[in-house]
Each structure stands twice: as C-alpha cells, then as structure tokens.
C-alpha cells in the first residue's frame, strides 16, 4: 500500500558539492526539495549553470548527493535504476550502429532475446515515424530524426520515470514543436513520470503539469507553478491561449531575477 | 591508397541542366581526376628511375655503391628464377612474412587488450604507466641481440622483436581511444542497462576502433622492420639475411633488390589494411571527395 502511493521521485534537502582540481569545494545544489508524483510531467527551468543537470544525475544514480536523500518510487537510490530512462542534451546515439541496432541496444543489454528486441525496435521505429530508416547510420539522419531515434531508444525500455535534459534545445523551432507533440503522445500512452529540464520557459509551460523555477547557482527551488491548461494540448496553438500568456508573464518575472543575478555574477 | 585531398567541385551548371547531365559530368570529373593522379605517380617513378639509370651509366654516381635500376631488376629476376645463394627467394620471403605476421598479430592483440584494460582502470593505469614508459624508452634495435641470445637464431627471436615494435604503438592508441570515448555515450549505455563488460565490448572498444586502426596501419610496417632487423643481426633465413649477405659481398644490387621486395610487401599489407578498415567502418561519414 505504501509502495503504491509513494511518489515517483523525491529529493529531500539534497546538496551536491564538487571538489575542484585545486581542492576547493563548489556547491552546485543546496537544500533542494522536490516531489514528482506518478504520471506527473514536471518541467524545471533555471539560469544556465545553476545545477539542473546535476539534479538529474542524482536521480539516475550516476552521481550521489553530498547530503540529503534521493528516493525513487519510495526507495533510496542505489546505483542505476532500470526503471529510469534518460534523454540527453547532446547526441548520445552509437554512431557505429544502425538506427535499429541503436534502438535494440537497451533490450539487448537487459538480456532480452534478439528476435524479441528486434520486433519491439521495429514497433518503436514505426511509432516515431522512422520505419524506412532502420538500416541507416546516425550520420545519415537529420538532427530531428536522430532525436526521434533517441526517444525510441529510451521508450523501448518502458521507463516508469523519464528524465530529459534540454532534449530539444539543438533543434529548430518547427521540428521542436513536432517533437513536443510526439513526446506528449508517447507520454500519455506510457503514463510515465517526467522531469523535463529546459531553458525555454514557453516549452516548459506548454508541456508540463508543474513548472519548477530554480535560483541562480547553487540551485534551490525558488517557486513552483501548477499549470492548469487542459489536456490533450496542441503545442503549436497553445502559445496564443490567454491563460498561457498569463502564465508566461508571471513565471518569467520570477525567472528573470535569477537570470540577472546569474549574469551579474558571471560578469563580476 | 586514400588521399585526403578535399576537392570541392566548382563546376556551375546552367539552369535547366538535368540530374543525369550533372551526374555524368561528376563521373567524368572523377575519372579525369584518377587519371591525373595515376599519370603523375607513374611519371615521377619513371623520371626517378630513369635519372638513376642515366647517372649510373654516365658515371656521375658510382654503380658499385648505388647500383642501377637495371642491375637491381636483373638481380630480382635472377633471385626469382634461379634462387639466391642461400636457397629459393620465396622461402626467405615466407620466413620474413611469417615472423612479421605473427609479431603483428600477437603484438596488436596484446596492445589492444592491455590498452583497453588500463584505459578502463584508472588505478592500474597510474601504477603501470611508469613501467610502460621505461620499457618504451629502450631503442628496439638493442633488443635484437638480446632476444637472439635468449631465444636463438630461429623464429621466436624475430617474432619477439616484431611484437615489441607493434605492441607499444597499438597499446598507446587503444589506451588513448578508450580515454577519449564520449562521456554522454557511456552514460547513455549505462542507463540503457549495460553491464561493465557490455559497456566495454559494445561502446568503449568500438569507439576506440578508429584510434586502434590508425595504429594498425603503421604497425605492420613496424613488424616487418622488427623481423628484418632481427634477421640482419642473426638468422639462417629471411630477407634480412639476404641484405646482410649482400652487404658482406659488396653486392649493392642485392641490397636494393631486397629493399624493393620489402617495399612491395609493405604496400600490399597497407592496401589490405585499408580494405579491412573500410569494411569495418562503413558507419562513418564518407570523406568529402567521395560523396560528390
Ligand atoms: N563534474 C563536475 N566537477 C566540478 N564541477 C561541476 C561538475 N559538474 C558540474 N559542475 C558545476 O556545477 C554547476 C552546475 O552544473 P550543471 O551542469 O548542473 O548546470 P546546468 O544547470 O545543467 O547548466 P546548463 O543549463 O548550462 O546545462 C556548474 O557551476 C558547474 O561548473
Ligand atoms: Mg545542463
């Protein structure tokens, strides 16, 4: 019973310090508290370098906190959790594998038989509209197509928690809107809990149930906004909605202060 | 041979030119380019050999030391048809190749395995790096008499010498290749569920492969050098022995003939290596001049 109701992700007073090569310590996040419910779509915005990627790494288990506690599905994080999927900001496909071999990687690593992995990879490639590109290599695809391969590669493992670190920031505006639609569709089918890091406030509002605004580094949660726009949302049109514009204005006023502090600090 | 010339096509076409015409023009340009390359390659060779021959015949250089292309060709012909004073040429060539190939294969396999292992293990790398630097600083040639003393005049000493020639080059590149493997790619594989061994096998090694191949290209040549130096210092068969005997009898043509044989073999090996690499690396973007 307790297991069922436990939130997908809990960060409780988490801090993370890095030691620089000279031995000085740098605090990347401090007293960070955040809860992501099951099936919830959370967006995180904050000034550059404030500690967003660091926060996601703590959830994956690739890094551990210096203080505080990180819990996933009600249990403390120990090592890499197979229920977590991660979409990277940079290209992280394997360039020596074809598209289908890239998508099959997860199931094969997890010991699924080859035929099963292949069938399921075909299915996912069809869902992201790349059935015809199975045998291509990543360098033969456009940036948007590569991102779709990355989505299929992550979704094929059926993650219950999906972490995305500025996944679409390298794409042009039109492709990005298409990817938003695709992501929302996949998310509503998969019922995963999502943490979506971005520096684009409009992207955050259009996609998420909740938007977390972080302070300039070391990051803590400055404020949380609940976005009550109806679903299903049409990302291409929603930005003209009056309530969308109101959300943008309010949250931007909040975020702007942090961005300015961050710039002032970098310049000093 | 691949040449890295980047040939940006500057041809401009009138509006309304069909794709077929553009493709035909591109194909023609490619053929022309290949012809030009071949022409100059052959031209340079002919001029070089011609002036050598001429200088020898006119007495500008002393054929006793420098030989002449015609006497070298004569000696090669004689070796091929009648054999050398030490037995058939083919047998000597076979012995040298056997030593080089064995040294190359064992040296590169060991170099890859140890390079990857140390590349993956920081602590081991820190401990062993000093010894590897120490051993690497020994000039390989002084190892020849040592190996021959320990391992005898036969195959083993030459293989050992070819091995040390190859090992350090391949090791160094494999190690570096592992260290340069993309961090995001590694994190991605681990989150997708790769165990340590799967990570090494299907992410680290493939991503280090272009580094490793770069070293394999040069190291077959090094393996031949190792084998020949070993034979030169002490052996009963091999191309190195032929050079040694030719030196002893002041037979300049014989020395150059042996060098020509080594050059041809090394060129052939380099060609095979390029073929193998192209097959393995079909995932890489084509070089610019091949896509036009
Ligand atoms: N491995 C590391 N060693 C030392 N310092 C680090 C390390 N990783 C991150 N940092 C520092 O921690 C802070 C936060 O980094 P992080 O990558 O989390 O920022 P971010 O919010 O993701 O930035 P961006 O929006 O630019 O991606 C930065 O000041 C960075 O210099
Ligand atoms: Mg980041």
């Amino acid at each position: 019973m307790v297991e069922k109701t436990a939130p997908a992700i809990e960060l409780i007073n988490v801090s993370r310090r890095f030691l620089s090569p000279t031995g000085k310590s740098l605090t990347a996040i401090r007293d960070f508290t955040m809860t992501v419910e099951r099936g919830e779509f959370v967006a995180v915005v904050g000034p550059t370098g404030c500690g967003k990627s660091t926060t996601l790494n703590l959830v994956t288990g690739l890094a551990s906190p210096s203080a505080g506690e990180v819990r996933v599905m009600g249990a403390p994080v120990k090592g890499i959790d197979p229920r977590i999927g991660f979409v990277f900001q940079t290209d992280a496909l394997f360039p020596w594998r074809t598209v289908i071999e890239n998508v099959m990687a997860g199931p094969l690593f997890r010991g699924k038989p080859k035929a099963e992995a292949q069938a399921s990879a075909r299915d996912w490639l069809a869902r992201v509209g790349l059935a015809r590109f199975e045998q291509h290599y990543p360098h033969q695809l456009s940036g948007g197509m590569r991102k779709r391969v990355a989505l299929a590669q992550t979704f094929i493992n059926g993650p219950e928690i999906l972490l995305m670190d500025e996944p679409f920031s390298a794409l042009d505006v039109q492709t990005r809107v298409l990817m938003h639609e695709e992501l929302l569709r996949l998310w509503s089918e998969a019922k995963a809990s999502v943490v979506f890091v971005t520096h684009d406030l409009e992207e955050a509002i259009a996609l998420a149930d909740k938007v977390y605004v972080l302070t300039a580094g070391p990051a803590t949660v400055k404020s949380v906004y609940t976005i009550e726009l109806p679903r299903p949302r049409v990302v291409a049109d929603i930005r003209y909605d009056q309530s969308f514009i109101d959300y943008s204005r309010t949250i931007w006023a909040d975020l702007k202060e942090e961005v300015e502090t961050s710039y002032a600090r970098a310049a000093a | 041979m691949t040449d890295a010339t980047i040939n940006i096509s500057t041809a401009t076409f009138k509006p309304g030119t069909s794709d077929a015409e553009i493709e035909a023009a591109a194909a023609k340009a490619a053929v022309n380019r290949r012809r030009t390359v071949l022409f100059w390659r052959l031209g340079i060779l002919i001029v070089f050999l011609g002036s050598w021959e001429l200088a020898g015949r006119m007495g500008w250089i002393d054929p006793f030391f420098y030989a002449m292309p015609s006497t070298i060709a004569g000696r090669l012909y004689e070796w091929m048809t009648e054999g050398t004073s030490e037995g058939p040429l083919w047998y000597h060539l076979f012995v040298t190749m056997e030593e080089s190939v064995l040294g190359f294969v064992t040296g590169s396999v060991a170099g890859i395995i140890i390079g990857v292992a140390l590349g993956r293990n920081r602590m081991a790398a820190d401990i062993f790096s000093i010894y590897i630097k120490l051993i690497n600083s020994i000039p390989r040639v002084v190892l020849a008499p040592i190996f021959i003393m320990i391992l005898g005049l036969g195959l083993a000493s030459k293989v050992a010498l070819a091995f040390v020639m190859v090992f350090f080059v391949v090791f160094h590149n494999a190690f570096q290749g592992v260290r340069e493997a993309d961090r995001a790619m590694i994190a991605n594989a681990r989150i997708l569920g790769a165990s340590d061994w799967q990570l090494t096998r299907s992410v680290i090694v493939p991503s280090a492969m272009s580094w490793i191949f770069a070293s394999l290209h040069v190291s077959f040549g090094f393996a031949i050098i190792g084998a020949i130096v070993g034979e030169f210092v002490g052996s009963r068969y091999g191309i190195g022995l032929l050079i040694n005997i030719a030196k002893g009898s002041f037979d300049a043509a014989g020395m150059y003939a042996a060098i020509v044989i080594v050059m041809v073999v090394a060129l052939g090996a380099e060609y095979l290596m390029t073929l193998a690499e192209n097959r393995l690396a079909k995932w890489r973007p084509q070089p610019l001049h091949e896509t036009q």
Side-chain angles (χ1 to χ4, degrees):
Chain A
M1 198 58 211
V2 178
E3 279 286 304
K4 269 238 169 63
T5 48
I9 302 170
E10 291 164 283
L11 291 146
I12 306 155
N13 288 324
V14 172
S15 298
R16 167 80 178 157
R17 278 184 294 276
F18 289 109
L19 278 182
S20 72
T22 51
K24 274 182 66 180
S25 103
L26 177 145
T27 308
I29 58 181
R30 193 190 61 210
D31 297 333
F32 194 109
T33 300
M34 173 166 115
T35 308
V36 180
E37 297 299 337
R38 305 227 172 165
E40 194 175 37
F41 197 128
V42 167
V44 176
V45 294
T48 176
C50 73
K52 304 185 291 294
S53 301
T54 307
T55 312
L56 287 190
N57 279 337
L58 293 178
V59 180
T60 59
L62 284 171
S64 43
S66 318
E69 194 181 7
V70 183
R71 300 172 76 86
V72 166
M73 303 289 188
V77 172
K78 287 195 224 78
I80 290 167
D81 193 312
R83 291 169 297 188
I84 292 180
F86 199 118
V87 181
F88 289 80
Q89 174 173 8
T90 49
D91 226 354
L93 295 177
F94 310 117
W96 54 85
R97 291 178 172 220
T98 58
V99 165
I100 191 159
E101 287 166 349
N102 263 289
V103 178
M104 284 163 66
L108 289 184
F109 285 150
R110 289 159 188 230
K112 289 254 167 57
K114 192 163 177 201
E116 191 182 315
Q118 199 160 21
S120 138
R122 289 238 160 80
D123 178 40
W124 275 103
L125 282 176
R127 284 201 224 181
V128 298
L130 289 174
R132 279 178 40 238
F133 295 90
E134 265 184 23
Q135 298 304 329
H136 284 57
Y137 286 95
H139 75 88
Q140 298 167 315
L141 304 180
S142 72
M145 290 155 99
R146 281 204 288 270
K147 265 282 106 85
R148 265 141 69 190
V149 178
L151 286 185
Q153 190 183 47
T154 299
F155 273 97
I156 195 174
N157 282 329
E160 292 170 46
I161 294 175
L162 185 59
L163 308 175
M164 307 182 88
D165 191 357
E166 306 190 27
F168 306 138
S169 58
L171 301 178
D172 63 278
V173 180
Q174 292 90 335
T175 316
R176 210 194 286 190
V177 170
L178 289 180
M179 298 302 301
H180 290 155
E181 305 281 357
E182 204 143 300
L183 173 63
L184 286 183
R185 190 170 53 78
L186 295 176
W187 170 67
S188 64
E189 288 169 11
K191 302 266 173 282
S193 318
V194 180
V195 181
F196 189 104
V197 165
T198 175
H199 55 240
D200 180 346
L201 184 55
E202 299 202 343
E203 181 176 61
I205 299 171
L207 295 175
D209 296 320
K210 268 188 201 158
V211 174
Y212 278 71
V213 179
L214 307 189
T215 59
T220 50
V221 177
K222 185 178 190 200
S223 33
V224 185
Y225 296 87
T226 307
I227 310 295
E228 275 157 0
L229 298 170
R231 290 187 191 272
R233 297 179 190 166
V234 181
V235 181
D237 300 336
I238 205 170
R239 66 184 70 242
Y240 307 113
D241 200 293
Q242 187 53 48
S243 42
F244 180 94
I245 296 170
D246 294 340
Y247 279 125
S248 293
R249 191 170 294 136
T250 332
I251 305 178
W252 173 241
D254 205 357
L255 178 60
K256 197 172 130 200
E257 281 174 30
E258 296 309 317
V259 172
E260 278 166 358
T261 335
S262 166
Y263 274 125
R265 235 184 260 164
Chain B
M1 288 237 108
T2 50
D3 28 8
T5 327
I6 292 170
N7 175 16
I8 306 239
S9 167
T10 49
T12 49
F13 294 95
K14 281 201 284 292
T17 317
S18 75
D19 283 358
E21 283 172 293
I22 294 177
E23 280 160 17
K28 197 163 148 245
V31 170
N32 278 340
R33 186 170 175 283
R34 239 170 285 144
R35 283 210 191 114
T36 314
V37 169
L38 192 64
F39 172 82
W40 281 106
R41 281 184 181 171
L42 280 179
I44 289 169
L45 183 68
I46 290 169
V47 168
F48 173 71
L49 292 180
S51 28
W52 186 356
E53 182 78 27
L54 185 71
R57 289 196 186 256
M58 302 302 282
W60 298 334
I61 57 174
D62 188 346
F64 181 78
F65 295 115
Y66 294 99
M68 285 187 298
S70 57
T71 54
I72 297 169
R75 180 59 37 88
L76 276 175
Y77 182 75
E78 181 195 320
W79 279 356
M80 285 188 223
T81 52
E82 294 159 30
T84 65
S85 59
E86 304 299 309
L89 173 67
W90 308 119
Y91 186 68
H92 291 292
L93 188 57
F94 168 77
V95 168
T96 304
M97 291 317 293
E98 187 185 20
E99 293 158 355
S100 315
V101 169
L102 282 176
F104 172 72
V105 171
T106 52
S108 37
V109 168
I112 292 171
I113 291 175
I114 298 180
V116 171
L118 290 197
R120 294 283 280 133
N121 187 334
R122 187 101 224 190
M123 183 58 102
D126 286 348
I127 294 171
F128 287 108
S129 60
I130 183 73
Y131 294 107
I132 286 171
K133 278 191 195 128
L134 267 181
I135 300 172
N136 191 23
S137 68
I138 303 171
R140 305 296 181 270
V141 182
V142 307
L143 291 175
I146 298 175
F147 284 160
I148 286 169
M149 215 166 63
I150 299 172
L151 298 169
L153 286 179
L155 181 73
S157 56
K158 319 304 181 296
V159 173
L161 207 55
F163 177 96
V164 292
M165 295 288 297
V166 170
F167 173 80
F168 288 98
V169 183
V170 177
F171 165 80
H172 189 263
N173 275 40
F175 183 79
Q176 198 61 26
V178 168
R179 281 295 168 84
E180 307 268 312
D182 188 54
R183 300 281 290 271
M185 217 187 282
I186 293 173
N188 191 18
R190 290 186 60 194
I191 291 173
L192 289 175
S195 64
D196 269 351
W197 168 241
Q198 285 170 325
L199 188 66
T200 303
R201 203 185 44 138
S202 50
V203 179
I204 307 278
V205 171
S207 79
M209 215 54 207
S210 45
W211 282 79
I212 293 172
F213 251 106
S215 68
L216 294 187
H217 267 290
V218 290
S219 51
F220 191 74
F222 283 6
I224 297 181
I225 295 175
I228 288 186
V229 168
E231 289 165 357
F232 192 85
V233 174
S235 70
R236 292 190 208 91
Y237 308 100
I239 303 292
L241 175 77
L242 295 184
I243 298 178
N244 202 3
I245 289 172
K247 183 201 78 178
S249 56
F250 293 101
D251 173 14
M255 289 204 284
Y256 291 112
I259 291 172
V260 169
I261 293 172
V262 172
M263 281 159 74
V264 170
V265 168
L267 203 63
E270 153 82 28
Y271 177 74
L272 289 182
M273 204 76 73
T274 309
L275 277 190
E277 184 179 11
N278 286 346
R279 291 200 64 154
L280 281 178
K282 59 181 188 299
W283 55 269
R284 241 181 282 166
Q286 300 271 303
L288 200 51
H289 70 277
E290 283 170 30
T291 51
Q292 294 169 3

